[in-house]
Amino acid sequence: MELKFEIAVIPVADVDRAKDFYVGIGFRLDADFSTERGLRVVQVTPPGSEASIIFGDKLTTAEPGSSQGLHLVTSDIEAARSELIAAGAEVSEIWHDADGIFHWAGEVNRVPGPHPDVDSYGTFASFTDPDGNDWTIQQVVTRAPGR
């Protein structure tokens, strides 16, 4: 069996504001469709990703800004962070988790700076969209076997 993760629906309060934000930080605009009955679907894809996000009107009952734990992966977190900031995103400083495995929810257990011992899976930065949907950028230089 093959199952690919391709879409995550995120809740936003203002579709045009969200569209401007994501396109502004470099996500590719794939679709913006509306129906006569008020359904609106906007699909954007992060640079280099095969998975996309969708937001719009009448797509979810979740509260705007309630998506947490969305991850973007990059091989160069410093460059990705700089580009996102240049595009207008408010990105945290680079950090790692004190336990060194993954990271806790929120800002618990964060230590400033990249992970001192590994270049993959242990270094992060984070930002939110205008609604507060939470994104974590994770650096992966060398993938673990089988991934």
Side-chain angles (χ1 to χ4, degrees), residues 78-129:
E78 289 184 17
R81 180 178 178 275
S82 293
E83 288 180 36
L84 287 166
I85 290 171
E90 294 181 21
V91 184
S92 74
E93 294 296 325
I94 293 172
W95 51 273
H96 67 280
D97 185 81
D99 294 333
I101 297 173
F102 194 58
H103 60 82
W104 293 54
E107 296 184 12
V108 176
N109 221 36
R110 287 188 182 182
V111 178
H115 192 288
D117 299 325
V118 296
D119 64 356
S120 294
Y121 301 104
T123 298
F124 308 93
S126 51
F127 67 95
T128 60
D129 72 8

Side-chain angles (χ1 to χ4, degrees), residues 19-133:
K19 178 181 169 182
D20 289 345
F21 173 78
Y22 285 107
V23 171
I25 64 169
F27 285 37
R28 182 186 70 232
L29 178 63
D30 298 320
D32 185 349
F33 301 112
S34 297
T35 69
E36 292 177 9
R37 296 186 335 154
L39 179 74
R40 183 170 177 198
V41 179
V42 177
Q43 179 175 327
V44 295
T45 302
S49 181
E50 292 185 26
S52 301
I53 60 170
I54 287 179
F55 50 86
D57 292 321
K58 300 183 182 190
L59 297 178
T60 179
T61 58
E63 289 296 316
S66 62
S67 288
Q68 304 296 302
L70 300 164
H71 277 66
L72 298 168
V73 174
T74 183
S75 62
D76 187 342
I77 199 163
E78 289 184 17
R81 180 178 178 275
S82 293
E83 288 180 36
L84 287 166
I85 290 171
E90 294 181 21
V91 184
S92 74
E93 294 296 325
I94 293 172
W95 51 273
H96 67 280
D97 185 81
D99 294 333
I101 297 173
F102 194 58
H103 60 82
W104 293 54
E107 296 184 12
V108 176
N109 221 36
R110 287 188 182 182
V111 178
H115 192 288
D117 299 325
V118 296
D119 64 356
S120 294
Y121 301 104
T123 298
F124 308 93
S126 51
F127 67 95
T128 60
D129 72 8
D131 286 291
N133 293 304

